[in-house]
Amino acid sequence: MQAATLPQFGDANTFEITEIPIPRPAAGQLLVKVKAAGINPVDYKTRAGKGQAQYFTLPAILGWDIAGQIVDTGQGAHKFSPGDRVFGLSHFPNPANAYAQFAIVEEQEFARVPDNITDDIAGAAPLATLTAWEALYDHAQLQPGQRILIHAAAGGVGHIAVQLARNTETYVIGTASVQNHAYLKELGVNESIDYHDQHFEKNITPVDVVLDAMGGETALRSLEVLKPGGIMVSLPSMFKNDPAVLAKAKEKGVRVVWMSVRPSGQRMEQVAALMASGKLQIKVDASFPLREVAKAHQALETHHINGKVVLIP
């Protein structure tokens, strides 16, 4: 089979397309023919030697988002059958080898793809959707009637978080460049803030929750808009336990949580139900064949993507 391998950490042009043996599933595992592999910011950070690079041995195959069709099952794997379409976040943060024509996944981390959802949409969904879900419901415990500020609201995690928050009947404020404000309105955002020309902390009234996808100065400024007792859930791992943020949060009487997403087949089933009903729509901004993996990474690194980027092996 073909795979996009990374012989060393570096820029997007470091990838090589190679021929490697098709793996075989062990107990509780599935062999999946990969139909689509979502690309996330953690992918290019890991490629550059940051992100989750500590979990990889070179040469490596990157990627964690997988949608595909089951080819074979290991002993004791009984939830699915060969031919079933499945999707999930595989092995995160350990290597999952998604950038390949076939991959081994753990049965308990995957769910069936709804019949009305295409492979590219399914492949784009897992990591971003599970991240938004954990942030809003597990950590922030978002409740109807609350107010939430979502940074990078048109991005991969952001556009999903907006929809989950609106499904929870909360008031949503989103930051994005002005050209994306029409898209935010389509998603149901109540207020849109242009992060280039507007100081969000001076233009909105206090909120109960902040979803911070930026870290650094943005995280510090976000604490200014939290109500006492409010919470900011921060995603960038490079800013984890930022002493300046922790000190300011204590001063303001608010909480800060840094999170890392976990695979969950059970949660993916809930995601699948929302997608099937149309209550959660995943936007794929661009898709690339496996041989153009470098272009796919470069596209995502521009930070001008609305929604997600996927590889089609």
Side-chain angles (χ1 to χ4, degrees):
M1 69 172 185
Q2 288 192 332
T5 57
L6 192 69
Q8 61 191 30
F9 296 119
D11 63 25
N13 292 310
T14 306
F15 286 109
E16 297 177 352
I17 303 300
T18 58
E19 291 281 344
I20 62 174
I22 297 175
R24 294 289 178 261
Q29 295 182 332
L30 309 170
L31 173 63
V32 174
K33 181 174 177 55
V34 180
K35 298 291 189 178
I39 301 179
N40 300 282
V42 68
D43 294 42
Y44 66 72
K45 292 174 184 177
T46 300
R47 185 211 70 222
K50 302 175 182 179
Q52 306 301 330
Q54 70 268 28
Y55 296 100
F56 285 79
T57 300
L58 297 173
I61 301 174
L62 300 186
W64 291 275
D65 276 346
I66 293 175
Q69 189 171 35
I70 296 174
V71 176
D72 194 10
T73 61
Q75 184 178 3
H78 54 77
K79 184 178 178 182
F80 307 108
S81 301
D84 286 348
R85 297 171 65 228
V86 295
F87 69 145
L89 174 64
S90 183
H91 292 108
F92 191 84
N94 295 296
N97 304 327
Y99 295 4
Q101 292 178 319
F102 294 87
I104 296 294
V105 306
E106 302 298 323
E107 182 180 52
Q108 74 271 15
E109 295 179 348
F110 275 63
R112 283 184 177 82
V113 177
D115 291 339
N116 61 337
I117 300 300
T118 59
D119 292 326
D120 60 336
I121 298 295
L127 188 147
T129 304
L130 291 174
T131 297
W133 192 293
E134 279 192 40
L136 299 191
Y137 300 140
D138 294 351
H139 296 291
Q141 298 184 345
L142 192 67
Q143 301 295 320
Q146 289 188 320
R147 293 167 53 84
I148 181 171
L149 169 62
I150 299 175
H151 287 300
V157 173
H159 86 288
I160 294 167
V162 167
Q163 294 174 75
L164 294 180
R166 292 298 294 149
N167 288 341
T168 313
E169 299 180 354
T170 59
Y171 188 93
V172 179
I173 304 164
T175 66
S177 56
V178 68
Q179 61 263 32
N180 291 325
H181 286 192
Y183 176 53
L184 295 191
K185 186 175 181 179
E186 290 177 19
L187 291 174
V189 167
N190 300 98
E191 291 182 46
S192 298
I193 302 292
D194 178 9
Y195 63 81
H196 289 299
D197 297 326
Q198 294 176 279
H199 295 282
F200 64 85
E201 69 274 25
K202 298 178 181 179
N203 285 275
I204 63 174
T205 53
V207 300
D208 302 280
V209 177
V210 173
L211 179 56
D212 165 40
M214 311 302 289
E217 181 190 357
T218 299
L220 280 170
R221 291 163 56 203
S222 296
L223 297 177
E224 297 286 350
V225 303
L226 272 176
K227 297 177 181 177
I231 183 170
M232 179 172 72
V233 183
S234 192
L235 305 181
S237 58
M238 65 182 294
F239 293 107
K240 187 175 182 180
N241 297 324
D242 184 331
V245 171
L246 289 173
K248 189 168 185 178
K250 183 177 181 180
E251 174 191 334
K252 294 288 184 179
V254 298
R255 294 183 295 137
V256 179
V257 174
W258 284 269
M259 63 159 284
S260 180
V261 67
R262 299 164 295 172
S264 171
Q266 182 179 13
R267 189 154 290 170
M268 285 304 301
E269 291 174 358
Q270 295 173 290
V271 167
L274 286 178
M275 292 172 66
S277 69
K279 293 182 178 179
L280 177 61
Q281 298 182 16
I282 311 300
K283 181 175 182 179
V284 174
D285 196 314
S287 60
F288 297 84
L290 186 66
R291 66 180 180 277
E292 295 183 2
V293 60
K295 291 182 180 179
H297 270 236
Q298 289 164 349
L300 191 59
E301 287 181 276
T302 65
H303 303 290
H304 297 311
I305 293 292
N306 283 352
K308 298 296 302 295
V309 173
V310 296
L311 282 180
I312 308 296

